[in-house]
Amino acid sequence: MADQENLLPRNCSNGFPVAELTNAFVSFLFAASAPVAIILSAGAKGGLSQSDLASWIFAAFAINGVLTIAMSAIYRQPLAFFWTIPGTVLVASALRHLTFSEVIGAYFVTAALILALGLTGWVKVVMDRIPLPIVMGMVAGVFLSFGLDWIRSFGSDPWLTAAMTVTFFVLSAVPSIQKRFPPMIGVLIAGVATLMIAGRAPSIEGITLATAFARPHLYTPVFSWPAAFELVLPLAITVVAVYTPQGVSLLRSAGHEPPVNAITNACGIFSALAACFGCVSTCLTGPSSAILASSEDKSRHWIAGICLGILAILFGVFSPLVTRALLATPEAFVASLAGLALLRILQSAFQA
């Protein structure tokens, strides 16, 4: 395949990947906080049971975590895969008049359409012809909301936000410290310490060993024309025309050459696998990929992708336990963490 030409050198510098592990953890928190809440909200509106939601979250993280590890290792690039959030919101509305089996049937048709677009090479042709400033303008518009959420958190939780923000800028202002101690590690420590001092650490009381493990279900799809007309095209558009261009442009701006056709094919195949367990379509995520590629050493970005995939799989296996803890974390903590992690990426997007 032509995409194989984009493989990067497999050599990387020695040393423990502190910055990469930190970026992976921040990227994981970014995906496992508000997006998980969106899944829970969508399922509640659609009348799904707790077991259905647990299976959905398991697939969203465990299945896509395997894909993240595989693609990052093969192409030596930070390729982060999760699920389409706009698609989740769309499904929430569809579940009000469609059965979950009909929605899952639409997932399979969407997966086939995405795979067909990848195999024909159409997506890569379009991506190569879209001017980078236009796509980066779209990225800036999407990421701006995360920056604004960080600013707003000063009003809702000033002490927590201030502690995390001051730590970030102090560590970033001294290059010698920044190289040895990544600022986002300091931000995490400052945030957790502030919560513990204030007695606001998240609680996981009531969770036992028996209920901590996910129990995914295998679903039988039901194919219906109403579900296909309502869901297939919008879901495919969010994957190949929204998420893929954003993720690819961000990775290109970081010096990588993402394999567009392989990414699209992988999204199609793993969308079908995830659908078996009730999860919405798989996509390359812009924010997570951007966080993974935010460290200085480009040759080690793929290591962050591997770390993220491992964390995602663990989250999927222990989704009932981790979901409860994350949803109990103050919104300002997640907002500040995401906003600070994406701050430099947002700056680069505006410059482009």
Side-chain angles (χ1 to χ4, degrees):
M1 292 178 62
D3 286 324
Q4 294 290 339
E5 299 176 358
N6 291 332
L7 292 177
L8 295 177
R10 296 179 181 269
N11 296 326
C12 65
S13 56
N14 297 322
F16 188 78
V18 177
E20 289 74 26
L21 183 58
T22 302
N23 289 338
F25 186 64
V26 173
S27 180
F28 164 74
L29 287 179
F30 184 86
S33 51
V36 169
I38 293 174
I39 290 180
L40 298 176
S41 176
K45 292 179 180 178
L48 299 184
S49 66
Q50 289 186 0
S51 61
D52 290 331
L53 289 172
S55 183
W56 182 342
I57 294 173
F58 166 82
F61 284 89
I63 300 298
N64 292 323
V66 171
L67 177 58
T68 298
I69 292 175
M71 293 292 285
S72 297
I74 292 172
Y75 292 97
R76 291 301 194 268
Q77 299 182 39
L79 302 174
F81 294 86
F82 282 114
W83 70 96
T84 161
I85 295 177
T88 302
V89 176
L90 181 66
V91 168
S93 175
L95 283 172
R96 295 177 180 177
H97 53 272
L98 296 173
T99 66
F100 196 32
S101 295
E102 288 178 307
V103 170
I104 293 173
Y107 290 166
F108 278 99
V109 178
T110 303
L113 177 58
I114 294 171
L115 181 59
L117 292 174
L119 292 174
T120 59
W122 177 83
V123 177
K124 187 177 188 302
V125 172
V126 173
M127 279 299 305
D128 290 340
R129 295 184 179 181
I130 297 178
L132 181 61
I134 292 179
V135 179
M136 293 304 289
M138 297 168 55
V139 171
V142 173
F143 282 6
L144 182 61
S145 62
F146 298 106
L148 293 177
D149 287 341
W150 161 53
I151 299 300
R152 294 190 186 101
S153 64
F154 278 98
S156 60
D157 207 327
W159 289 109
L160 175 62
T161 306
M164 298 172 71
T165 303
V166 170
T167 302
F168 175 81
F169 284 107
V170 168
L171 295 177
S172 299
V174 184
S176 59
I177 297 179
Q178 183 177 350
K179 291 181 179 180
R180 298 180 180 180
F181 191 79
M184 290 310 301
I185 287 185
V187 171
L188 286 169
I189 294 174
V192 172
T194 303
L195 290 176
M196 294 181 65
I197 292 173
R200 301 168 58 194
S203 173
I204 54 173
E205 294 181 1
I207 294 290
T208 64
L209 184 61
T211 59
F213 291 92
R215 295 179 174 83
H217 302 298
L218 281 173
Y219 295 91
T220 301
V222 173
F223 299 97
S224 70
W225 287 110
F229 280 121
E230 182 174 354
L231 294 174
V232 172
L233 189 57
L235 287 175
I237 289 175
T238 61
V239 173
V240 302
V242 178
Y243 278 96
T244 297
Q246 289 180 3
V248 168
S249 297
L250 285 166
L251 290 172
R252 285 177 175 174
S253 67
H256 297 286
E257 285 297 330
V260 179
N261 290 339
I263 288 172
T264 308
N265 293 336
C267 287
I269 294 172
F270 275 77
S271 289
L273 291 176
C276 294
F277 301 97
C279 180
V280 71
S281 304
T282 294
C283 65
L284 177 72
T285 63
S288 294
S289 296
I291 294 172
L292 296 180
S294 61
S295 60
E296 295 182 0
D297 192 349
K298 185 184 72 173
S299 67
R300 295 167 64 90
H301 288 168
W302 67 277
I303 300 176
I306 300 293
C307 296
L308 173 61
I310 294 173
L311 290 173
I313 293 173
L314 291 174
F315 183 91
V317 173
F318 295 99
S319 56
L321 174 67
V322 186
T323 299
R324 180 166 179 174
L326 285 172
L327 292 180
T329 304
E331 293 183 3
F333 178 83
V334 177
S336 299
L337 199 63
L340 292 170
L342 294 173
L343 186 59
R344 291 174 181 171
I345 306 300
L346 182 61
Q347 178 184 0
S348 300
F350 274 112
Q351 290 174 343

PDB file of all heavy atoms in Angstrom, residues 73-104:
ATOM      1  N   ALA A  73       1.742   1.514  16.873  1.00  0.00           N
ATOM      2  CA  ALA A  73       2.940   0.684  16.777  1.00  0.00           C
ATOM      3  C   ALA A  73       3.344   0.449  15.324  1.00  0.00           C
ATOM      4  O   ALA A  73       4.532   0.486  14.984  1.00  0.00           O
ATOM      5  CB  ALA A  73       2.710  -0.655  17.482  1.00  0.00           C
ATOM      6  N   ILE A  74       2.387   0.220  14.451  1.00  0.00           N
ATOM      7  CA  ILE A  74       2.693  -0.075  13.050  1.00  0.00           C
ATOM      8  C   ILE A  74       3.250   1.145  12.338  1.00  0.00           C
ATOM      9  O   ILE A  74       4.262   1.060  11.617  1.00  0.00           O
ATOM     10  CB  ILE A  74       1.434  -0.588  12.327  1.00  0.00           C
ATOM     11  CG1 ILE A  74       1.032  -1.971  12.863  1.00  0.00           C
ATOM     12  CG2 ILE A  74       1.671  -0.659  10.812  1.00  0.00           C
ATOM     13  CD1 ILE A  74      -0.296  -2.464  12.342  1.00  0.00           C
ATOM     14  N   TYR A  75       2.623   2.304  12.549  1.00  0.00           N
ATOM     15  CA  TYR A  75       3.005   3.501  11.803  1.00  0.00           C
ATOM     16  C   TYR A  75       3.901   4.448  12.597  1.00  0.00           C
ATOM     17  O   TYR A  75       4.303   5.487  12.083  1.00  0.00           O
ATOM     18  CB  TYR A  75       1.751   4.237  11.325  1.00  0.00           C
ATOM     19  CG  TYR A  75       1.009   3.454  10.271  1.00  0.00           C
ATOM     20  CD1 TYR A  75      -0.084   2.656  10.619  1.00  0.00           C
ATOM     21  CD2 TYR A  75       1.421   3.470   8.956  1.00  0.00           C
ATOM     22  CE1 TYR A  75      -0.760   1.912   9.665  1.00  0.00           C
ATOM     23  CE2 TYR A  75       0.749   2.730   7.989  1.00  0.00           C
ATOM     24  CZ  TYR A  75      -0.332   1.950   8.357  1.00  0.00           C
ATOM     25  OH  TYR A  75      -0.987   1.208   7.401  1.00  0.00           O
ATOM     26  N   ARG A  76       4.223   4.097  13.856  1.00  0.00           N
ATOM     27  CA  ARG A  76       5.096   4.921  14.686  1.00  0.00           C
ATOM     28  C   ARG A  76       4.619   6.373  14.727  1.00  0.00           C
ATOM     29  O   ARG A  76       5.380   7.319  14.602  1.00  0.00           O
ATOM     30  CB  ARG A  76       6.543   4.853  14.181  1.00  0.00           C
ATOM     31  CG  ARG A  76       7.217   3.490  14.384  1.00  0.00           C
ATOM     32  CD  ARG A  76       7.229   3.138  15.888  1.00  0.00           C
ATOM     33  NE  ARG A  76       8.125   2.031  16.195  1.00  0.00           N
ATOM     34  CZ  ARG A  76       7.781   0.740  16.234  1.00  0.00           C
ATOM     35  NH1 ARG A  76       6.536   0.403  15.940  1.00  0.00           N
ATOM     36  NH2 ARG A  76       8.649  -0.188  16.561  1.00  0.00           N
ATOM     37  N   GLN A  77       3.328   6.533  14.926  1.00  0.00           N
ATOM     38  CA  GLN A  77       2.698   7.842  15.039  1.00  0.00           C
ATOM     39  C   GLN A  77       1.641   7.771  16.140  1.00  0.00           C
ATOM     40  O   GLN A  77       1.095   6.697  16.407  1.00  0.00           O
ATOM     41  CB  GLN A  77       2.053   8.268  13.717  1.00  0.00           C
ATOM     42  CG  GLN A  77       3.013   8.392  12.560  1.00  0.00           C
ATOM     43  CD  GLN A  77       2.336   8.873  11.293  1.00  0.00           C
ATOM     44  OE1 GLN A  77       1.461   9.733  11.329  1.00  0.00           O
ATOM     45  NE2 GLN A  77       2.746   8.320  10.156  1.00  0.00           N
ATOM     46  N   PRO A  78       1.311   8.896  16.768  1.00  0.00           N
ATOM     47  CA  PRO A  78       0.314   8.896  17.851  1.00  0.00           C
ATOM     48  C   PRO A  78      -1.104   8.897  17.306  1.00  0.00           C
ATOM     49  O   PRO A  78      -1.765   9.934  17.234  1.00  0.00           O
ATOM     50  CB  PRO A  78       0.628  10.193  18.603  1.00  0.00           C
ATOM     51  CG  PRO A  78       1.154  11.110  17.551  1.00  0.00           C
ATOM     52  CD  PRO A  78       1.919  10.236  16.584  1.00  0.00           C
ATOM     53  N   LEU A  79      -1.597   7.737  16.909  1.00  0.00           N
ATOM     54  CA  LEU A  79      -2.918   7.609  16.296  1.00  0.00           C
ATOM     55  C   LEU A  79      -3.913   7.142  17.357  1.00  0.00           C
ATOM     56  O   LEU A  79      -3.925   5.974  17.740  1.00  0.00           O
ATOM     57  CB  LEU A  79      -2.867   6.630  15.126  1.00  0.00           C
ATOM     58  CG  LEU A  79      -1.869   6.997  14.018  1.00  0.00           C
ATOM     59  CD1 LEU A  79      -1.784   5.884  12.982  1.00  0.00           C
ATOM     60  CD2 LEU A  79      -2.253   8.316  13.369  1.00  0.00           C
ATOM     61  N   ALA A  80      -4.734   8.064  17.836  1.00  0.00           N
ATOM     62  CA  ALA A  80      -5.693   7.779  18.907  1.00  0.00           C
ATOM     63  C   ALA A  80      -7.086   7.582  18.322  1.00  0.00           C
ATOM     64  O   ALA A  80      -7.591   8.441  17.600  1.00  0.00           O
ATOM     65  CB  ALA A  80      -5.702   8.919  19.920  1.00  0.00           C
ATOM     66  N   PHE A  81      -7.705   6.463  18.657  1.00  0.00           N
ATOM     67  CA  PHE A  81      -9.040   6.139  18.152  1.00  0.00           C
ATOM     68  C   PHE A  81     -10.004   5.971  19.319  1.00  0.00           C
ATOM     69  O   PHE A  81      -9.709   5.265  20.291  1.00  0.00           O
ATOM     70  CB  PHE A  81      -9.003   4.846  17.339  1.00  0.00           C
ATOM     71  CG  PHE A  81      -8.209   4.937  16.070  1.00  0.00           C
ATOM     72  CD1 PHE A  81      -6.841   4.723  16.075  1.00  0.00           C
ATOM     73  CD2 PHE A  81      -8.825   5.246  14.879  1.00  0.00           C
ATOM     74  CE1 PHE A  81      -6.102   4.806  14.908  1.00  0.00           C
ATOM     75  CE2 PHE A  81      -8.104   5.340  13.698  1.00  0.00           C
ATOM     76  CZ  PHE A  81      -6.736   5.118  13.709  1.00  0.00           C
ATOM     77  N   PHE A  82     -11.151   6.652  19.199  1.00  0.00           N
ATOM     78  CA  PHE A  82     -12.222   6.450  20.161  1.00  0.00           C
ATOM     79  C   PHE A  82     -13.546   6.420  19.399  1.00  0.00           C
ATOM     80  O   PHE A  82     -13.659   5.702  18.428  1.00  0.00           O
ATOM     81  CB  PHE A  82     -12.202   7.523  21.250  1.00  0.00           C
ATOM     82  CG  PHE A  82     -11.140   7.276  22.295  1.00  0.00           C
ATOM     83  CD1 PHE A  82     -10.069   8.133  22.428  1.00  0.00           C
ATOM     84  CD2 PHE A  82     -11.218   6.175  23.136  1.00  0.00           C
ATOM     85  CE1 PHE A  82      -9.080   7.899  23.381  1.00  0.00           C
ATOM     86  CE2 PHE A  82     -10.235   5.923  24.087  1.00  0.00           C
ATOM     87  CZ  PHE A  82      -9.159   6.795  24.208  1.00  0.00           C
ATOM     88  N   TRP A  83     -14.527   7.189  19.784  1.00  0.00           N
ATOM     89  CA  TRP A  83     -15.831   7.128  19.140  1.00  0.00           C
ATOM     90  C   TRP A  83     -16.290   8.538  18.822  1.00  0.00           C
ATOM     91  O   TRP A  83     -15.791   9.524  19.356  1.00  0.00           O
ATOM     92  CB  TRP A  83     -16.835   6.425  20.045  1.00  0.00           C
ATOM     93  CG  TRP A  83     -17.214   7.220  21.264  1.00  0.00           C
ATOM     94  CD1 TRP A  83     -18.302   8.033  21.427  1.00  0.00           C
ATOM     95  CD2 TRP A  83     -16.475   7.307  22.503  1.00  0.00           C
ATOM     96  NE1 TRP A  83     -18.290   8.615  22.673  1.00  0.00           N
ATOM     97  CE2 TRP A  83     -17.182   8.183  23.350  1.00  0.00           C
ATOM     98  CE3 TRP A  83     -15.295   6.718  22.957  1.00  0.00           C
ATOM     99  CZ2 TRP A  83     -16.748   8.481  24.631  1.00  0.00           C
ATOM    100  CZ3 TRP A  83     -14.863   7.030  24.244  1.00  0.00           C
ATOM    101  CH2 TRP A  83     -15.586   7.893  25.062  1.00  0.00           C
ATOM    102  N   THR A  84     -17.276   8.624  17.917  1.00  0.00           N
ATOM    103  CA  THR A  84     -17.768   9.928  17.493  1.00  0.00           C
ATOM    104  C   THR A  84     -18.770  10.474  18.509  1.00  0.00           C
ATOM    105  O   THR A  84     -19.829   9.870  18.737  1.00  0.00           O
ATOM    106  CB  THR A  84     -18.417   9.854  16.102  1.00  0.00           C
ATOM    107  OG1 THR A  84     -19.250  10.991  15.898  1.00  0.00           O
ATOM    108  CG2 THR A  84     -19.259   8.602  15.929  1.00  0.00           C
ATOM    109  N   ILE A  85     -18.433  11.601  19.102  1.00  0.00           N
ATOM    110  CA  ILE A  85     -19.319  12.221  20.098  1.00  0.00           C
ATOM    111  C   ILE A  85     -20.581  12.797  19.448  1.00  0.00           C
ATOM    112  O   ILE A  85     -21.683  12.588  19.963  1.00  0.00           O
ATOM    113  CB  ILE A  85     -18.552  13.298  20.887  1.00  0.00           C
ATOM    114  CG1 ILE A  85     -17.437  12.642  21.708  1.00  0.00           C
ATOM    115  CG2 ILE A  85     -19.496  14.068  21.818  1.00  0.00           C
ATOM    116  CD1 ILE A  85     -16.568  13.615  22.461  1.00  0.00           C
ATOM    117  N   PRO A  86     -20.480  13.518  18.303  1.00  0.00           N
ATOM    118  CA  PRO A  86     -21.721  13.951  17.647  1.00  0.00           C
ATOM    119  C   PRO A  86     -22.623  12.774  17.287  1.00  0.00           C
ATOM    120  O   PRO A  86     -23.855  12.880  17.348  1.00  0.00           O
ATOM    121  CB  PRO A  86     -21.220  14.683  16.396  1.00  0.00           C
ATOM    122  CG  PRO A  86     -19.840  15.126  16.734  1.00  0.00           C
ATOM    123  CD  PRO A  86     -19.288  14.045  17.612  1.00  0.00           C
ATOM    124  N   GLY A  87     -22.005  11.651  16.900  1.00  0.00           N
ATOM    125  CA  GLY A  87     -22.798  10.466  16.603  1.00  0.00           C
ATOM    126  C   GLY A  87     -23.535   9.960  17.820  1.00  0.00           C
ATOM    127  O   GLY A  87     -24.681   9.503  17.727  1.00  0.00           O
ATOM    128  N   THR A  88     -22.907  10.063  18.982  1.00  0.00           N
ATOM    129  CA  THR A  88     -23.555   9.650  20.227  1.00  0.00           C
ATOM    130  C   THR A  88     -24.773  10.513  20.525  1.00  0.00           C
ATOM    131  O   THR A  88     -25.825  10.005  20.935  1.00  0.00           O
ATOM    132  CB  THR A  88     -22.556   9.748  21.392  1.00  0.00           C
ATOM    133  OG1 THR A  88     -21.421   8.927  21.111  1.00  0.00           O
ATOM    134  CG2 THR A  88     -23.193   9.298  22.688  1.00  0.00           C
ATOM    135  N   VAL A  89     -24.635  11.807  20.310  1.00  0.00           N
ATOM    136  CA  VAL A  89     -25.768  12.717  20.514  1.00  0.00           C
ATOM    137  C   VAL A  89     -26.894  12.387  19.539  1.00  0.00           C
ATOM    138  O   VAL A  89     -28.084  12.402  19.897  1.00  0.00           O
ATOM    139  CB  VAL A  89     -25.309  14.177  20.330  1.00  0.00           C
ATOM    140  CG1 VAL A  89     -26.490  15.127  20.451  1.00  0.00           C
ATOM    141  CG2 VAL A  89     -24.240  14.521  21.359  1.00  0.00           C
ATOM    142  N   LEU A  90     -26.540  12.065  18.286  1.00  0.00           N
ATOM    143  CA  LEU A  90     -27.532  11.688  17.283  1.00  0.00           C
ATOM    144  C   LEU A  90     -28.253  10.405  17.680  1.00  0.00           C
ATOM    145  O   LEU A  90     -29.478  10.282  17.524  1.00  0.00           O
ATOM    146  CB  LEU A  90     -26.844  11.519  15.928  1.00  0.00           C
ATOM    147  CG  LEU A  90     -27.728  11.157  14.740  1.00  0.00           C
ATOM    148  CD1 LEU A  90     -28.687  12.294  14.423  1.00  0.00           C
ATOM    149  CD2 LEU A  90     -26.865  10.839  13.517  1.00  0.00           C
ATOM    150  N   VAL A  91     -27.514   9.455  18.203  1.00  0.00           N
ATOM    151  CA  VAL A  91     -28.100   8.183  18.625  1.00  0.00           C
ATOM    152  C   VAL A  91     -29.071   8.390  19.783  1.00  0.00           C
ATOM    153  O   VAL A  91     -30.106   7.716  19.872  1.00  0.00           O
ATOM    154  CB  VAL A  91     -26.988   7.191  19.007  1.00  0.00           C
ATOM    155  CG1 VAL A  91     -27.565   5.974  19.723  1.00  0.00           C
ATOM    156  CG2 VAL A  91     -26.227   6.757  17.762  1.00  0.00           C
ATOM    157  N   ALA A  92     -28.749   9.317  20.671  1.00  0.00           N
ATOM    158  CA  ALA A  92     -29.640   9.597  21.792  1.00  0.00           C
ATOM    159  C   ALA A  92     -31.029   9.987  21.309  1.00  0.00           C
ATOM    160  O   ALA A  92     -32.054   9.568  21.879  1.00  0.00           O
ATOM    161  CB  ALA A  92     -29.056  10.706  22.665  1.00  0.00           C
ATOM    162  N   SER A  93     -31.066  10.770  20.251  1.00  0.00           N
ATOM    163  CA  SER A  93     -32.354  11.166  19.680  1.00  0.00           C
ATOM    164  C   SER A  93     -33.030  10.003  18.961  1.00  0.00           C
ATOM    165  O   SER A  93     -34.249   9.807  19.072  1.00  0.00           O
ATOM    166  CB  SER A  93     -32.146  12.336  18.715  1.00  0.00           C
ATOM    167  OG  SER A  93     -33.349  12.681  18.063  1.00  0.00           O
ATOM    168  N   ALA A  94     -32.232   9.207  18.242  1.00  0.00           N
ATOM    169  CA  ALA A  94     -32.800   8.094  17.477  1.00  0.00           C
ATOM    170  C   ALA A  94     -33.391   7.018  18.373  1.00  0.00           C
ATOM    171  O   ALA A  94     -34.383   6.363  18.004  1.00  0.00           O
ATOM    172  CB  ALA A  94     -31.722   7.502  16.571  1.00  0.00           C
ATOM    173  N   LEU A  95     -32.797   6.814  19.548  1.00  0.00           N
ATOM    174  CA  LEU A  95     -33.272   5.759  20.446  1.00  0.00           C
ATOM    175  C   LEU A  95     -34.664   6.035  21.013  1.00  0.00           C
ATOM    176  O   LEU A  95     -35.286   5.142  21.580  1.00  0.00           O
ATOM    177  CB  LEU A  95     -32.282   5.588  21.602  1.00  0.00           C
ATOM    178  CG  LEU A  95     -30.997   4.815  21.284  1.00  0.00           C
ATOM    179  CD1 LEU A  95     -30.021   4.889  22.447  1.00  0.00           C
ATOM    180  CD2 LEU A  95     -31.308   3.368  20.937  1.00  0.00           C
ATOM    181  N   ARG A  96     -35.143   7.239  20.818  1.00  0.00           N
ATOM    182  CA  ARG A  96     -36.481   7.566  21.317  1.00  0.00           C
ATOM    183  C   ARG A  96     -37.574   6.935  20.468  1.00  0.00           C
ATOM    184  O   ARG A  96     -38.701   6.745  20.927  1.00  0.00           O
ATOM    185  CB  ARG A  96     -36.671   9.080  21.366  1.00  0.00           C
ATOM    186  CG  ARG A  96     -35.752   9.780  22.365  1.00  0.00           C
ATOM    187  CD  ARG A  96     -35.930  11.277  22.331  1.00  0.00           C
ATOM    188  NE  ARG A  96     -35.048  11.939  23.301  1.00  0.00           N
ATOM    189  CZ  ARG A  96     -34.951  13.244  23.448  1.00  0.00           C
ATOM    190  NH1 ARG A  96     -35.713  14.062  22.692  1.00  0.00           N
ATOM    191  NH2 ARG A  96     -34.120  13.765  24.342  1.00  0.00           N
ATOM    192  N   HIS A  97     -37.251   6.584  19.215  1.00  0.00           N
ATOM    193  CA  HIS A  97     -38.253   5.961  18.350  1.00  0.00           C
ATOM    194  C   HIS A  97     -37.722   4.744  17.597  1.00  0.00           C
ATOM    195  O   HIS A  97     -38.443   4.155  16.798  1.00  0.00           O
ATOM    196  CB  HIS A  97     -38.789   6.990  17.335  1.00  0.00           C
ATOM    197  CG  HIS A  97     -37.715   7.682  16.554  1.00  0.00           C
ATOM    198  ND1 HIS A  97     -37.094   8.831  16.991  1.00  0.00           N
ATOM    199  CD2 HIS A  97     -37.138   7.381  15.372  1.00  0.00           C
ATOM    200  CE1 HIS A  97     -36.185   9.218  16.115  1.00  0.00           C
ATOM    201  NE2 HIS A  97     -36.182   8.355  15.121  1.00  0.00           N
ATOM    202  N   LEU A  98     -36.449   4.376  17.851  1.00  0.00           N
ATOM    203  CA  LEU A  98     -35.876   3.174  17.263  1.00  0.00           C
ATOM    204  C   LEU A  98     -35.410   2.249  18.382  1.00  0.00           C
ATOM    205  O   LEU A  98     -35.037   2.709  19.463  1.00  0.00           O
ATOM    206  CB  LEU A  98     -34.684   3.508  16.364  1.00  0.00           C
ATOM    207  CG  LEU A  98     -34.942   4.350  15.115  1.00  0.00           C
ATOM    208  CD1 LEU A  98     -33.612   4.721  14.455  1.00  0.00           C
ATOM    209  CD2 LEU A  98     -35.835   3.603  14.120  1.00  0.00           C
ATOM    210  N   THR A  99     -35.428   0.947  18.112  1.00  0.00           N
ATOM    211  CA  THR A  99     -34.903   0.019  19.092  1.00  0.00           C
ATOM    212  C   THR A  99     -33.373   0.036  19.043  1.00  0.00           C
ATOM    213  O   THR A  99     -32.768   0.445  18.046  1.00  0.00           O
ATOM    214  CB  THR A  99     -35.396  -1.409  18.811  1.00  0.00           C
ATOM    215  OG1 THR A  99     -34.847  -1.870  17.567  1.00  0.00           O
ATOM    216  CG2 THR A  99     -36.912  -1.446  18.745  1.00  0.00           C
ATOM    217  N   PHE A 100     -32.740  -0.418  20.127  1.00  0.00           N
ATOM    218  CA  PHE A 100     -31.282  -0.463  20.169  1.00  0.00           C
ATOM    219  C   PHE A 100     -30.742  -1.411  19.100  1.00  0.00           C
ATOM    220  O   PHE A 100     -29.691  -1.162  18.507  1.00  0.00           O
ATOM    221  CB  PHE A 100     -30.824  -0.905  21.562  1.00  0.00           C
ATOM    222  CG  PHE A 100     -29.367  -0.632  21.834  1.00  0.00           C
ATOM    223  CD1 PHE A 100     -28.721   0.459  21.268  1.00  0.00           C
ATOM    224  CD2 PHE A 100     -28.636  -1.458  22.672  1.00  0.00           C
ATOM    225  CE1 PHE A 100     -27.382   0.732  21.534  1.00  0.00           C
ATOM    226  CE2 PHE A 100     -27.296  -1.194  22.953  1.00  0.00           C
ATOM    227  CZ  PHE A 100     -26.668  -0.106  22.366  1.00  0.00           C
ATOM    228  N   SER A 101     -31.459  -2.477  18.819  1.00  0.00           N
ATOM    229  CA  SER A 101     -31.036  -3.420  17.782  1.00  0.00           C
ATOM    230  C   SER A 101     -31.053  -2.767  16.410  1.00  0.00           C
ATOM    231  O   SER A 101     -30.174  -3.021  15.571  1.00  0.00           O
ATOM    232  CB  SER A 101     -31.945  -4.653  17.787  1.00  0.00           C
ATOM    233  OG  SER A 101     -31.809  -5.372  19.004  1.00  0.00           O
ATOM    234  N   GLU A 102     -32.046  -1.908  16.141  1.00  0.00           N
ATOM    235  CA  GLU A 102     -32.097  -1.194  14.863  1.00  0.00           C
ATOM    236  C   GLU A 102     -30.938  -0.199  14.749  1.00  0.00           C
ATOM    237  O   GLU A 102     -30.346  -0.039  13.675  1.00  0.00           O
ATOM    238  CB  GLU A 102     -33.431  -0.458  14.728  1.00  0.00           C
ATOM    239  CG  GLU A 102     -34.621  -1.354  14.482  1.00  0.00           C
ATOM    240  CD  GLU A 102     -35.917  -0.572  14.401  1.00  0.00           C
ATOM    241  OE1 GLU A 102     -36.189   0.201  15.340  1.00  0.00           O
ATOM    242  OE2 GLU A 102     -36.642  -0.715  13.403  1.00  0.00           O
ATOM    243  N   VAL A 103     -30.618   0.468  15.849  1.00  0.00           N
ATOM    244  CA  VAL A 103     -29.489   1.396  15.857  1.00  0.00           C
ATOM    245  C   VAL A 103     -28.192   0.645  15.588  1.00  0.00           C
ATOM    246  O   VAL A 103     -27.339   1.097  14.805  1.00  0.00           O
ATOM    247  CB  VAL A 103     -29.416   2.140  17.209  1.00  0.00           C
ATOM    248  CG1 VAL A 103     -28.114   2.928  17.327  1.00  0.00           C
ATOM    249  CG2 VAL A 103     -30.614   3.074  17.359  1.00  0.00           C
ATOM    250  N   ILE A 104     -28.030  -0.522  16.199  1.00  0.00           N
ATOM    251  CA  ILE A 104     -26.827  -1.313  15.979  1.00  0.00           C
ATOM    252  C   ILE A 104     -26.758  -1.782  14.527  1.00  0.00           C
ATOM    253  O   ILE A 104     -25.671  -1.838  13.925  1.00  0.00           O
ATOM    254  CB  ILE A 104     -26.792  -2.507  16.954  1.00  0.00           C
ATOM    255  CG1 ILE A 104     -26.610  -1.987  18.384  1.00  0.00           C
ATOM    256  CG2 ILE A 104     -25.681  -3.485  16.596  1.00  0.00           C
ATOM    257  CD1 ILE A 104     -26.724  -3.057  19.448  1.00  0.00           C
TER     258      ILE A 104
END
